[in-house]
Amino acid sequence: MAAECGSGNCDAWAARDPSGILSPYKFNRREVQSEDVSLRITHCGVCYADVIWTRNMFNDSIYPLVPGHEIAGVVTEVGADVKGFKVGDHVGVGVYVNSCQDCENCNSSLENHCSKCVVTYNSVDSDGTVTKGGYSSHILVHQRYCFKIPADYPLSKAAPLLCAGITVYTPMIRHNMNQPGKSLGVIGLGGLGHMAVKFGKAFGLKVTVFSTSESKREEAINLLGADNFVISSDENQMESLKSSLHFIIDTASGDHQFDPYLSLLKVGGVMVLLSFPSEIKVHPENLNLAARSLAGSVTGGTKDIQEMINFCAANNVYPDIEMIKIDYVNEALQRLINRDVRFRFVIDIENSFK
Amino acid sequence: MAAECGSGNCDAWAARDPSGILSPYKFNRREVQSEDVSLRITHCGVCYADVIWTRNMFNDSIYPLVPGHEIAGVVTEVGADVKGFKVGDHVGVGVYVNSCQDCENCNSSLENHCSKCVVTYNSVDSDGTVTKGGYSSHILVHQRYCFKIPADYPLSKAAPLLCAGITVYTPMIRHNMNQPGKSLGVIGLGGLGHMAVKFGKAFGLKVTVFSTSESKREEAINLLGADNFVISSDENQMESLKSSLHFIIDTASGDHQFDPYLSLLKVGGVMVLLSFPSEIKVHPENLNLAARSLAGSVTGGTKDIQEMINFCAANNVYPDIEMIKIDYVNEALQRLINRDVRFRFVIDIENSFK
């Protein structure tokens, strides 16, 4: 077992092959570099991406693979050139840990769109090592990709902001969805969808949740505060909402139709897609005749991430989470596949590696 | 022949059946109402819509059908409650001549998106008559849908602004394409495309024209002042432009691919579709991974139309036209189908009905 487990200064859980089953694993993280922040990880959210890469669904997984890109923790050491972070600070690390820092996108704080963006796990970093994520006891990150979490914001709740939160927040800001009184549709009520409802309400929007499952009504209305709940297969309900929404956030995974939702948008309305169906098919009338837009988005830049965390702290926006220990993670990933989570698993890392 | 020709106070040319062949036709226009502007038509542009409806391509044509919705002329009479127009003024009438004037869209000067919008021909007006367009000697229009043309702007050049011009201008303004120094791609170089190039240059953009035909290079660069010309089937040229454009205006009619163009947009870039292919198919990666948008558009509201005319006059933006007499219109429509026009036919109405 010792050999299988690896050795090094960092405790983790890793998947070893496309079965995706995670088990204990040790490896070495680098020493602190001049611009590094080193943090003791206290919490890590469980994202559907963790299912994708532990199971090699995109045929690019490098094993052993340590997933996790919704990381929250406490600073334990900083490099000589680090400004703005000190030992003891609460911080977060998200989906990426490096980028070229010199291209048009990096210079516009769109680091997530840098062609040399290094994601937090299963990516080759500039030093040639394969990045390893937050299902681990500590991590080092260049200060540019490290974010301050206010001391009174629970680290357990902060973790999901680093992926689910920013994935929803960035397109909402880009497409001006923060105008009080306007109307937002949210398709799907998983980790992303529930954050879209929360941001929508915090922005003062009227929020309608679309779901395939009547079982989500109670959660949508009473738990999350949505104003309206619609079963998307109910043609009468859908018809009654024609041309009524300013915005739609589409968090539905898997293949689905776009025209029935586009037709619900007002003139000039915007629907943002956050998932990756195999193909998008749209009738041009549903775009042209009401000057609608269909947009895509994927995570957000560093400026947006810090702004989003600050917004959540200032406006009491907190993800709803189910805390687990690391030894429950295989079951949690299976439950995530079964959509059996309300609404985000967060691994209690600090109490898992004792 | 007299019976076939009809009778009334207005000289026109009409299509009589789905052959689409136009011939002389007389009919009665209404008397001037309190908010009507009556104009002697001097010029009318020839739009591809005129092909569609004279030939019943959408199976909704009402014959006899008098096409024409790029109308310029001189005011001959105004109703008692008309303000801002007087006899002798140069004016234009575009794609629509009525709307409910009381809905959310009308109240936002999005009259073109009013569910009761009455288009300029082949539409049933609020008085029950079928509207008849600008291939005719005069027209009456409620003052809301009548636009001032500055006296020094040639009426012949003003005509195409009322459809081709506004169809391009409105999405460019909506999507902030008037920022000097940014880059615009224009797909197709017909009536709409050539206006997109002209607006692009007037806004200070760097303009790249995409065409299937090498024969358009000379026109694009030397006649219209585009900065770059690309044969869209040339994969090397297309590849060299990856992620380089801020905006794309797609004026290509007929079915075509979207992914090759979307991939040319920078992060956050917008591609606007102005035509009606049978279906839009897009790979979600081409939207999501660079946070791009695919938007639709169709003509513009009254506020935009007047603003666009004023912009053209102030910035010396003039459509390139080929003037014809009405008795050439059947040949002109056939040449339009064959894309054999540089870039808009305009009927010299005032010298056609003498």
Side-chain angles (χ1 to χ4, degrees), chain B residues 101-299:
Chain B
Q101 307 183 21
D102 195 32
C103 67
E104 180 182 356
N105 289 330
C106 284
N107 290 334
S108 308
S109 197
L110 295 166
E111 298 90 343
N112 51 317
H113 295 292
C114 170
S115 64
K116 294 180 179 166
C117 184
V118 177
V119 297
T120 302
Y121 61 83
N122 198 52
S123 187
V124 178
D125 207 346
S126 55
D127 64 3
T129 61
V130 176
T131 54
K132 293 185 168 56
Y135 292 15
S136 62
S137 55
H138 82 285
I139 192 168
L140 295 99
V141 62
H142 185 286
Q143 60 181 336
R144 180 171 181 147
Y145 315 97
C146 188
F147 307 96
K148 284 210 162 186
I149 297 168
D152 58 354
Y153 196 97
L155 285 168
S156 59
K157 300 268 191 178
L161 299 182
L162 277 303
C163 175
I166 192 62
T167 297
V168 168
Y169 181 87
T170 282
M172 292 186 82
I173 296 300
R174 180 185 296 119
H175 296 288
N176 304 308
M177 300 189 191
N178 55 350
Q179 302 168 68
K182 295 212 169 177
S183 52
L184 170 71
V186 176
I187 307 174
L189 206 57
L192 301 185
H194 101 288
M195 287 306 300
V197 176
K198 286 175 181 267
F199 282 124
K201 293 313 297 176
F203 290 145
L205 304 178
K206 183 182 171 195
V207 178
T208 296
V209 169
F210 297 91
S211 175
T212 55
S213 167
E214 180 65 31
S215 68
K216 296 274 190 177
R217 181 185 298 273
E218 165 77 13
E219 299 171 12
I221 302 288
N222 295 332
L223 190 63
L224 300 174
D227 302 280
N228 195 9
F229 180 88
V230 170
I231 297 294
S232 52
S233 57
D234 183 326
E235 289 183 13
N236 288 337
Q237 285 186 55
M238 293 291 278
E239 180 68 28
S240 72
L241 289 176
K242 279 261 155 72
S243 302
S244 72
L245 302 174
H246 292 93
F247 314 112
I248 293 176
I249 300 260
D250 181 359
T251 74
S253 57
D255 287 344
H256 57 287
Q257 290 189 295
F258 291 83
D259 285 308
Y261 294 108
L262 283 170
S263 69
L264 306 187
L265 288 171
K266 288 176 186 276
V267 172
V270 181
M271 174 165 165
V272 176
L273 174 68
L274 301 180
S275 64
F276 289 84
S278 58
E279 189 172 56
I280 299 168
K281 287 187 190 179
V282 172
H283 286 289
E285 289 83 352
N286 277 325
L287 290 181
N288 293 4
L289 295 184
R292 298 170 179 127
S293 298
L294 177 64
S297 191
V298 59
T299 185

Side-chain angles (χ1 to χ4, degrees), chain A residues 238-277:
Chain A
M238 293 291 278
E239 180 68 27
S240 72
L241 288 176
K242 279 262 155 73
S243 302
S244 72
L245 302 174
H246 292 93
F247 314 113
I248 294 176
I249 301 260
D250 181 358
T251 74
S253 57
D255 288 343
H256 57 288
Q257 290 189 296
F258 291 83
D259 285 309
Y261 294 108
L262 282 171
S263 69
L264 306 188
L265 288 170
K266 289 176 186 276
V267 172
V270 181
M271 174 166 165
V272 176
L273 174 67
L274 301 180
S275 64
F276 289 84

